[in-house]
Amino acid sequence: KESQLGGQARYAALAAHKEGMQTLLDYQQREAGQYGIEIQLGKAVDLSVVEEIKPDVVIIATGATPILPQIPGINLPNVFQAQEILESPEKAGSKVVVVGGGLVGLETAETLAEQGKDVTVLEMLPQIGADLGYTSNLSIFESLEKLGVKIETGTKVTQISDKAVSATKGESAKEYSADTVILAVGSKPNSTLIDELNGKVKVLPIGDCVQPRKVIEAIHDGYLFARNI
């Protein structure tokens, strides 16, 4: 339904040192063109569209949507999802708090720190990078330290204002000044189309609309399901 292909991987390719992701997307698009796959951009799919096409099977790869935590101040204009900032980094001010220390949050923090921003990452868990591999951990941790990114673990955000983020760490309360707050607290499956089509046509959900994971799992799903149709 978007004007460009790539989904979440398109945003990942915008992060610092992720040029390889764009290379992968370019390759996949070239392959699709080579094999004559029809691609329609800017077209949302619902039951009426499927009934018009009358397919034998519908593979649903609608991905995931970012989680919006229930925090006072979450809808303020200085609060953004990480994907928005990766696509339009000029929206970020000079003093940034990133809420969430997983892969997306850390890559966003690194990208902005390389642009000279003052960046602090707040993570609820006892450690950051829980969803990173060992090699990735070493690389990005070294980079964040070199860039002066401040990391606070075991820290739960309780409120956001236009100038600061309030949080608790154990029994202590603390305030972090920020003109920009970036959310990177995970994603949830976008299963709306699955529910709409179930029982009306053969449906095969793949990728993040089943469970948010990494790009290798999405590619693996696509390969196996296509082979088995």
Side-chain angles (χ1 to χ4, degrees), residues 17-190:
H17 316 298
K18 293 297 287 289
E19 298 82 1
M21 186 66 74
Q22 187 58 53
T23 301
L24 171 64
L25 294 176
D26 292 342
Y27 163 77
Q28 290 178 324
Q29 291 182 49
R30 283 197 306 272
E31 290 292 290
Q34 178 180 332
Y35 288 102
I37 297 168
E38 180 184 349
I39 296 172
Q40 297 184 27
L41 298 175
K43 183 166 185 176
V45 175
D46 57 17
L47 178 59
S48 64
V49 172
V50 173
E51 288 177 337
E52 181 183 336
I53 298 173
K54 296 182 175 62
D56 296 317
V57 60
V58 178
I59 296 177
I60 299 182
T62 47
T65 54
I67 292 171
L68 190 68
Q70 298 302 302
I71 301 170
I74 201 74
N75 294 312
L76 288 171
N78 63 320
V79 181
F80 303 91
Q81 291 286 355
Q83 291 85 347
E84 295 177 77
I85 293 296
L86 288 172
E87 190 166 40
S88 304
E90 70 279 359
K91 291 180 178 179
S94 59
K95 200 167 184 63
V96 178
V97 165
V98 177
V99 182
L103 175 62
V104 174
L106 296 181
E107 288 186 341
T108 304
E110 180 184 30
T111 301
L112 293 177
E114 287 193 350
Q115 296 171 9
K117 314 285 188 185
D118 181 330
V119 183
T120 299
V121 176
L122 305 181
E123 168 58 53
M124 282 181 61
L125 297 176
Q127 63 181 35
I128 58 170
D131 57 345
L132 274 70
Y134 177 72
T135 305
S136 301
N137 270 347
L138 290 178
S139 172
I140 198 164
F141 289 175
E142 288 175 2
S143 177
L144 292 171
E145 184 176 1
K146 191 178 296 183
L147 291 165
V149 173
K150 295 172 282 295
I151 308 289
E152 294 280 358
T153 57
T155 302
K156 182 179 180 180
V157 174
T158 55
Q159 187 164 350
I160 299 171
S161 72
D162 57 352
K163 295 180 181 178
V165 173
S166 300
T168 57
K169 185 169 185 174
E171 299 298 319
S172 304
K174 192 170 180 181
E175 191 168 271
Y176 302 85
S177 62
D179 52 30
T180 307
V181 180
I182 299 172
L183 305 176
V185 296
S187 301
K188 58 183 179 180
N190 180 8

Side-chain angles (χ1 to χ4, degrees), residues 1-2 8 45 60-66 187-196 205-212:
K1 68 180 180 180
E2 306 293 341
Q8 295 294 327
V45 175
I60 299 182
T62 47
T65 54
S187 301
K188 58 183 179 180
N190 180 8
S191 58
T192 304
L193 189 60
I194 301 172
D195 298 335
E196 188 176 357
I206 66 172
D208 281 6
C209 71
V210 178
Q211 178 184 343

